[in-house]
Amino acid sequence: NILAIERTRRFGTDLVRPRGHVLLEAGDVLLADMQGTPDEAEAVFASQGLDVQPLGEGSRYFTSRTQQIGMV
């Protein structure tokens, strides 16, 4: 599931809701939720030409976005 798309703009970043009419742009960051092992997720994304940027326990990145995405 794609939860959000982070898009860099001139003065910062925007979170874009993933809807059918949204076109992905170079440099977009997809915030995704997947079931399965990290290796399975990496294989799925690699098959689509995407790089995986894991959100480890040491990363506060995702937790800073939970309110904007609507997660608890």
Side-chain angles (χ1 to χ4, degrees):
N1 298 324
I2 303 298
L3 304 175
I5 302 164
E6 183 181 85
R7 184 165 290 160
T8 302
R9 295 288 181 212
R10 185 174 180 182
F11 297 110
T13 58
D14 290 335
L15 279 182
V16 178
R17 289 188 176 190
R19 298 183 185 209
H21 67 278
V22 174
L23 297 177
L24 295 178
E25 299 176 3
D28 281 354
V29 175
L30 303 178
L31 300 174
D33 177 31
M34 274 191 73
Q35 298 292 323
T37 67
D39 290 336
E40 292 170 333
E42 189 171 336
V44 168
F45 289 120
S47 72
Q48 300 299 314
L50 302 171
D51 295 325
V52 174
Q53 303 293 321
L55 302 169
E57 289 185 25
S59 172
R60 303 197 57 152
Y61 179 82
F62 192 66
T63 56
S64 68
R65 295 289 189 193
T66 55
Q67 279 192 316
Q68 291 172 304
I69 296 172
M71 297 180 67
V72 179

